[in-house]
Amino acid sequence: MEANGLGSQGFPELKNDTFLRAAWGEDTDYTPVWCMRQAGRYLPEFRETRAAQDFFSTCRSPEACCELTLQPLRRFPLDAAIIFSDILVVPQALGMEVTMVPGKGPSFPEPLREERDLERLRDPATVASELGYVFQAITLTRQRLAGRVPLIGFAGAPWTLMTYMVEGGSSSTMAQAKRWLYQRPQASHQLLRILTDALVPYLVGQVAAGAQIIFAKDGHFALEELAQAGYEVVGLDWTVAPEKARERVGKTVTLQGNLDPCALYASEEEIGRLVQQMLNDFGPQRYIANLGHGLYPDMDPEHVGAFVDAVHRYSRLLRQN
């Protein structure tokens, strides 16, 4: 670290590195916590900031992304920030049109229907330069965080993105995308390769811009494979029993999760009890507390605060005992 308090990349020195130390498997004084979609519509200040422009215009504004990323940290003593963005900026950068339809979610007016539709896609090598606005948002946010907590970057996995691009929006069955796998195996491999070739430089670019960690989520069907894939952290959804997950991945990986987000509809006392149970199940080390999925728009910010405080409080108690 340089003497002026700036780190190796010229960013302010990190003051709270509990999250990173847990990710690396080092001992921590308490369990670090953050929430998926912590920058989200459940916060009135988020809704106010977002009201001015449409969703993807917001994503393209580094200033707006930075503000939305920092909002939950002003309210709650979270141990990490996660950059405000969307996984669908990648298909956009590949030349597909995506709109955010209020009340419905993302929509692709012209999804991929035939093999020849792949010819419409741009060269994946150009994607990282198309997404310079994400890198700018990350760099700006690292500066404004002033070393308070680490900043997480993210991207959608190739299969996740393929389902949106083929289905034309979110889908519970993913039948159209799976149909591609069975009926057009060559084209499916080609599409997944294009997405992989776009995502690798995009993620490398996020780290170069100042993002400090990336993890896999919802992969309980492949826990063993994920544990060996070189990830430091594997996120679990709430359908997985923590003790079983720990048995399957061993001691070499940090687990993250996995309270059912709907538990935040419970009373603050009940949230405290559920957090206590979760912390007991995961154990004190190699663990980052989170929800098993993102926060929903109608959740009470007070209950999010109760969740964060309960994790900090009980995890300190656990270590004392």
Side-chain angles (χ1 to χ4, degrees):
M1 292 288 173
E2 280 93 66
N4 60 3
L6 293 178
S8 54
Q9 289 171 293
F11 290 121
E13 202 168 333
L14 193 56
K15 301 183 187 86
N16 172 1
D17 64 353
T18 310
F19 171 83
L20 290 180
R21 285 191 300 143
W24 295 329
E26 296 174 15
D27 284 358
T28 57
D29 299 337
Y30 63 89
T31 298
V33 57
W34 68 282
C35 298
M36 280 187 260
R37 293 207 203 121
Q38 62 190 30
R41 284 175 296 171
Y42 74 102
L43 290 175
E45 58 269 37
F46 176 97
R47 296 195 296 272
E48 200 176 315
T49 306
R50 277 272 300 102
Q53 52 191 165
D54 80 87
F55 182 81
F56 286 110
S57 305
T58 306
C59 289
R60 282 190 286 273
S61 160
E63 193 62 52
C65 290
C66 176
E67 168 57 23
L68 292 168
T69 301
L70 297 177
Q71 281 175 352
L73 280 101
R74 295 187 192 122
R75 266 188 192 254
F76 315 117
L78 295 155
D79 294 292
I82 181 162
I83 195 68
F84 176 82
S85 185
D86 194 271
I87 64 170
L88 299 181
V89 297
V90 170
Q92 273 188 336
L94 284 167
M96 291 191 78
E97 189 191 340
V98 193
T99 56
M100 197 57 84
V101 181
K104 181 182 168 237
S107 173
F108 289 70
E110 293 181 41
L112 303 175
R113 285 284 176 248
E114 304 293 332
E115 245 166 277
R116 65 172 181 267
D117 291 341
L118 295 182
E119 294 161 19
R120 303 197 324 242
L121 298 177
R122 287 189 193 131
D123 177 355
T126 65
V127 163
S129 57
E130 286 286 324
L131 295 174
Y133 59 84
V134 179
F135 306 145
Q136 289 167 5
I138 287 171
T139 303
L140 180 64
T141 306
R142 267 296 291 279
Q143 297 291 0
R144 297 240 176 108
L145 273 168
R148 190 170 152 187
V149 291
L151 178 62
I152 304 169
F154 70 95
W159 167 245
T160 310
L161 297 177
M162 174 175 165
T163 61
Y164 276 101
M165 291 160 79
V166 172
E167 300 281 347
S170 56
S171 157
S172 51
T173 61
M174 306 183 212
Q176 292 300 322
K178 286 180 178 170
R179 184 178 183 167
W180 268 60
L181 295 182
Y182 288 110
Q183 293 186 352
R184 305 189 177 103
Q186 276 340 96
S188 297
H189 274 290
Q190 192 189 340
L191 177 51
L192 290 167
R193 167 57 49 205
I194 289 168
L195 287 164
T196 304
D197 290 347
L199 286 164
V200 170
Y202 178 48
L203 287 172
V204 169
Q206 288 192 33
V207 173
Q212 291 154 295
I213 192 163
I214 292 159
F215 59 90
K217 104 178 226 297
D218 277 355
H220 53 85
F221 56 88
L223 272 180
E224 292 84 355
E225 289 86 345
L226 283 171
Q228 285 153 24
Y231 288 99
E232 290 156 333
V233 182
V234 175
L236 304 178
D237 66 24
W238 68 93
T239 61
V240 187
E243 316 89 283
K244 292 269 189 301
R246 180 56 75 196
E247 269 168 40
R248 288 170 61 189
V249 303
K251 296 253 190 299
T252 55
V253 174
T254 294
L255 291 174
Q256 173 177 279
N258 72 338
L259 190 70
D260 179 352
C262 292
L264 296 191
Y265 294 127
S267 68
E268 295 190 18
E269 297 72 36
E270 180 64 11
I271 290 169
R273 279 196 293 278
L274 292 165
V275 164
Q276 202 165 3
Q277 178 67 54
M278 178 174 79
L279 294 177
N280 284 332
D281 291 347
F282 275 102
Q285 302 300 346
R286 270 215 173 273
Y287 172 52
I288 294 166
N290 203 319
L291 305 171
H293 199 271
L295 287 163
Y296 300 134
D298 62 352
M299 287 184 161
D300 182 346
E302 296 292 317
H303 287 212
V304 177
F307 167 69
V308 173
D309 291 341
V311 170
H312 285 157
R313 194 167 64 249
Y314 288 124
S315 63
R316 285 185 192 280
L317 283 172
L318 260 183
R319 283 162 175 72
Q320 284 163 17
N321 300 337

